[in-house]
Amino acid sequence: HLPHLESHNCKPGIRVLIAKAETHGPKTRPHTVYVMHIKTAFSVRGISRRYSDFKELDEQLRAVRRIAPTLPRKKRFGKMSPNFIAERKRALQGYLDNILADATCATSLPFV
């Protein structure tokens, strides 16, 4: 399950912020991991997720709610460039902010 992000998220009591993006893996098969901080009134928790985790969440949300926020597209080539990673981080933050702003999505089983 993918927790919620950003300081202006609308789900009461929960904020989720994608703090950074890191590159992992061998040079022949690198991948990006997004490090997130999930803040509640009582705790701060850190988690890491790959784009594929966001895609899985998106598929689960769409099974519950046909109209859900739009997940940024997958990219085959150039996906490890610093500019692309920074842009995707911003887009994923927006995606999560939109999920939290939608009460149906934010409280649906795939997201909680």
Side-chain angles (χ1 to χ4, degrees):
H1 299 281
L2 194 76
H4 339 310
L5 296 112
E6 185 54 16
S7 61
H8 59 277
N9 297 151
C10 293
K11 186 168 182 183
I14 295 178
R15 295 179 185 179
V16 184
L17 173 66
I18 299 179
K20 61 183 174 178
E22 300 176 338
T23 301
H24 290 256
K27 289 194 182 268
T28 56
R29 294 196 49 103
H31 60 273
T32 303
V33 173
Y34 300 92
V35 179
M36 297 176 277
H37 298 159
I38 300 138
K39 301 175 185 181
T40 68
F42 305 104
S43 68
V44 175
R45 189 176 100 162
I47 63 165
S48 298
R49 295 292 186 264
R50 293 176 65 170
Y51 178 82
S52 59
D53 297 312
F54 286 91
K55 185 155 179 54
E56 182 180 330
L57 170 66
D58 189 66
E59 290 168 0
Q60 292 173 0
L61 282 174
R62 290 187 187 287
V64 173
R65 182 168 169 85
R66 288 182 194 206
I67 301 172
T70 304
L71 179 68
R73 292 183 189 221
K74 187 168 182 145
K75 185 174 181 179
R76 291 187 187 266
F77 302 103
K79 64 184 179 182
M80 299 311 295
S81 82
N83 288 340
F84 175 75
I85 292 170
E87 179 53 39
R88 176 173 276 168
K89 178 181 169 278
R90 281 190 294 278
L92 288 172
Q93 182 69 64
Y95 173 73
L96 289 165
D97 291 345
N98 287 333
I99 288 172
L100 288 173
D102 182 313
T104 302
C105 287
T107 58
S108 67
L109 190 56
F111 199 73
V112 292

